[in-house]
Amino acid sequence: MKLEVKCDVENCKYWAHGDQCVADSIYIIGLHGEKAANVGETACKTFEHRE
């Protein structure tokens, strides 16, 4: 099953036209422990700066 992942971080090496994430896998963490109360308490650990 193909999953569409949207991302607007254009300086990530996995960002593609149309705000598509083209990474093979995505790793998201909670910033304040294991549970997040909202999206602002999460971060994408898959991010790599585009050269």
Side-chain angles (χ1 to χ4, degrees), residues 8 11-13 16 18-19 23 29 33-35 37-39 42 45-47 50:
D8 69 356
N11 66 325
C12 180
K13 81 179 221 175
D19 288 344
I29 64 163
E34 295 181 18
K35 294 183 180 180
N38 58 57
V39 69
T42 64
K45 293 292 283 184
T46 307
F47 173 83
R50 177 176 284 181

Side-chain angles (χ1 to χ4, degrees), residues 22-40:
V22 294
D24 290 334
S25 64
I26 308 297
Y27 180 37
I28 308 295
I29 64 163
L31 297 177
H32 305 292
E34 295 181 18
K35 294 183 180 180
N38 58 57
V39 69

Side-chain angles (χ1 to χ4, degrees), residues 7 9-17 20-24 46-51:
C7 177
V9 183
E10 294 182 18
N11 66 325
C12 180
K13 81 179 221 175
Y14 299 113
W15 180 90
H17 180 74
Q20 297 293 312
C21 178
V22 294
D24 290 334
T46 307
F47 173 83
E48 288 188 40
H49 192 267
R50 177 176 284 181
E51 300 288 326

